[in-house]
Amino acid sequence: MKLSDRRVVVTGGAGLVGSHLAAKLAADNEVVVADDLSKGTRERVPDHDAVEFVQADMTDADDVADAITADVDIVFHLAAYTDTNYGNPRQLFEENTEMTYNVLERMDEVGVDHVAFTSSSTVYGEAPMPTPEDYAPLEPISIYGASKLADEGLVSTYGHSYGMTAYVFRFANIVGPNQRGNVIPDFIEKLLSDPDTLEILGDGRQEKSYLHVEDCVDAICHVVEHAGKPVNTYNLGTRTTTSVTRIADIVADVMDLDPDYEYTGGERGWTGDVPRMRLSIEKVSALGWEPTTQSDQAVRSAAEQLYEELRAEHAAE
């Protein structure tokens, strides 16, 4: 599907990936950003003539109907609880799946036949690395991962049985500016408060793939424009990994600090944490896309961007 002269809806468009995606799409399309602002912020929504903002809760069928109309060509469904360690796991599961079902049901009702859904590497659970898209069985170990796998099932059903073309993206860890609640901003905030000591959850050996948000949205658009099966599932990540201790080293270097590290212990940072993850990206590579940076550089770029933001916020307090 060519992404030009289209009317596009981006749910969760005030979040990290959604706001960057909306900005990229706005260059050649009309974009409707739908977000309830429970996590994202209005300031993240691109200030662009081609972008319309609708404050909408995707668990509310009326709000979904306001955002998704018959003149829409494709919906990028990013709205979700994305915290793998969320305090109310039942709410996370029920509302993530409700949002996805509402979006798909409304699309079918008004004849919108292209959907792109952002899933997660957590659907694989603790799988061998690098993990390809056809790895099975999928055995997530977190409620978040279970919700994304359930959502994938809904998207697959609408792709195979309701005439939609679906794109499913299984993300590695996405990092970039304006991000909160992730290991990088967490470390920066801790070091702004105490530059001498840094608490690290787990043993610091957790090792995962990190992808910068700019590469992420570029990959999403590339797949939508070049893949054409009823259901198109792609891993998005890098071929390298970075450990939590290495992230601490990078953040400390960016901040010109040399703190002592204090580990909470154990191989997981929290219940449901997958200690090691690296996705195979050979499938998306065969489609003609490659990341411009690897994990360490993605982390460093994000740390530099986030340090500027958080230092200014800290100074203003």
Side-chain angles (χ1 to χ4, degrees):
M1 180 184 194
K2 191 68 175 174
L3 289 174
S4 60
D5 299 318
R6 304 288 187 181
R7 184 165 176 83
V8 174
V9 172
V10 181
T11 75
L16 172 68
V17 179
S19 60
H20 283 81
L21 179 62
K24 182 176 180 64
L25 291 169
D28 297 301
N29 304 274
E30 295 179 0
V31 180
V32 177
V33 168
D35 200 298
D36 68 357
L37 302 182
S38 60
K39 187 173 182 180
T41 62
R42 182 67 178 84
E43 291 72 28
R44 286 189 192 176
V45 178
D47 183 13
H48 194 291
D49 291 342
V51 177
E52 172 189 350
F53 175 70
V54 177
Q55 187 161 344
D57 178 354
M58 294 296 106
T59 65
D60 185 312
D62 290 336
D63 282 6
V64 174
D66 288 341
I68 301 174
T69 51
D71 58 345
V72 169
D73 296 295
I74 182 171
V75 175
F76 291 83
H77 178 41
L78 284 70
Y81 290 92
T82 58
D83 185 351
T84 56
N85 194 30
Y86 189 69
N88 188 337
R90 177 176 284 276
Q91 179 187 21
L92 180 151
F93 184 87
E94 292 180 350
E95 295 195 14
N96 274 359
T97 52
E98 184 179 12
M99 283 188 267
T100 301
Y101 209 145
N102 284 348
V103 166
L104 294 167
E105 197 170 47
R106 176 60 178 173
M107 289 176 62
D108 184 54
E109 180 183 331
V110 296
V112 181
D113 59 5
H114 284 72
V115 60
F117 172 68
T118 53
S119 186
S120 165
S121 64
T122 57
V123 300
Y124 292 115
E126 296 181 290
M129 303 184 300
T131 314
E133 290 85 349
D134 59 359
Y135 173 80
L138 299 180
E139 297 179 347
I141 65 169
S142 66
I143 298 298
Y144 173 71
S147 77
K148 285 297 187 181
L149 185 55
D151 287 339
E152 283 196 20
L154 287 169
V155 172
S156 174
T157 299
Y158 273 81
H160 288 297
S161 299
Y162 290 81
M164 290 186 190
T165 300
Y167 310 91
V168 175
F169 299 103
R170 293 173 177 165
F171 286 174
N173 287 20
I174 311 302
V175 295
N178 299 314
Q179 187 171 37
R180 302 295 184 269
N182 172 274
V183 62
I184 302 172
D186 178 60
F187 282 173
I188 293 170
E189 288 171 340
K190 286 178 176 177
L191 289 171
L192 285 169
S193 297
D194 179 2
D196 297 320
T197 306
L198 178 62
E199 181 187 68
I200 298 175
L201 299 181
D203 59 12
R205 297 177 183 176
Q206 305 96 310
E207 194 166 315
K208 303 177 185 183
S209 175
Y210 292 83
L211 180 68
H212 195 275
V213 65
E214 292 180 4
D215 273 345
C216 178
V217 299
D218 186 62
I220 289 171
C221 292
H222 184 90
V223 170
V224 169
E225 290 200 317
H226 293 89
K229 294 181 179 179
V231 179
N232 305 274
T233 301
Y234 284 84
N235 291 335
L236 300 186
T238 62
R239 290 188 173 84
T240 57
T241 58
T242 304
S243 73
V244 174
T245 295
R246 176 64 180 150
I247 293 172
D249 291 343
I250 292 171
V251 168
D253 184 61
V254 166
M255 298 177 69
D256 197 23
L257 297 173
D258 186 23
D260 293 325
Y261 297 160
E262 294 183 352
Y263 298 94
T264 61
E267 68 170 357
R268 303 177 197 275
W270 54 85
T271 300
D273 181 27
V274 177
R276 291 165 186 79
M277 175 274 293
R278 179 163 68 92
L279 303 176
S280 168
I281 61 168
E282 297 313 309
K283 186 177 178 181
V284 72
S285 176
L287 200 65
W289 181 86
E290 292 284 342
T292 62
T293 61
Q294 296 302 316
S295 285
D296 272 18
Q297 185 54 50
V299 168
R300 180 171 291 276
S301 295
E304 290 169 350
Q305 293 164 325
L306 287 162
Y307 179 43
E308 290 301 312
E309 297 171 11
L310 290 167
R311 180 169 57 177
E313 290 178 12
H314 190 77
E317 292 177 353

